[in-house]
Amino acid sequence: MLEGKTDEQAAIFAVLSDPTRLRLVKLLCRRRAPDALCVNALAAFLGVTQSAVSQHLRILKSIGLVKSERRGYYIHYLIDRAAVKRCQGLVSTAL
């Protein structure tokens, strides 16, 4: 059981070790559900390309930190607050 927890902790640290992903998580944490942002808006806020944002979002979604919802033609992204709390718990037990 300890090994599985360690693998999960390592995955979180690996994903958040990238400065752009960490900035993306911080940006999304400051937003609330109705204020979800699309890739274009996220790219503008972060000053990176849309394709870079898409790749980072894919990685963040893979560990469940980010969720998406379709609004018309666009997909908007927001932080999964329950997943953040779970990650915080995993990270705090790693130390």
Side-chain angles (χ1 to χ4, degrees):
M1 177 151 144
L2 184 59
E3 186 63 33
K5 193 177 215 183
T6 301
D7 290 345
E8 248 185 305
Q9 291 164 332
I12 293 165
F13 286 126
V15 166
L16 295 179
S17 68
D18 181 89
T20 302
R21 278 195 291 274
L22 192 53
R23 288 176 52 219
L24 187 53
V25 167
K26 288 179 178 183
L27 175 62
L28 291 174
C29 279
R30 289 192 297 259
R31 313 291 294 192
R32 294 292 174 204
D35 296 327
L37 295 169
C38 66
V39 171
N40 293 342
L42 290 166
F45 274 116
L46 297 174
V48 297
T49 65
Q50 294 172 13
S51 63
V53 169
S54 292
Q55 290 300 315
H56 289 303
L57 287 168
R58 181 185 56 77
I59 293 167
L60 291 168
K61 283 181 78 172
S62 74
I63 64 163
L65 276 177
V66 172
K67 55 187 176 179
S68 61
E69 60 183 44
R70 181 169 286 283
R71 294 183 184 176
Y73 291 109
Y74 300 98
I75 297 175
H76 287 72
Y77 295 88
L78 45 111
I79 204 79
D80 184 333
R81 298 202 182 276
V84 169
K85 286 186 182 193
R86 181 182 54 79
C87 288
Q88 285 173 331
L90 282 167
V91 168
S92 68
T93 60
L95 306 174

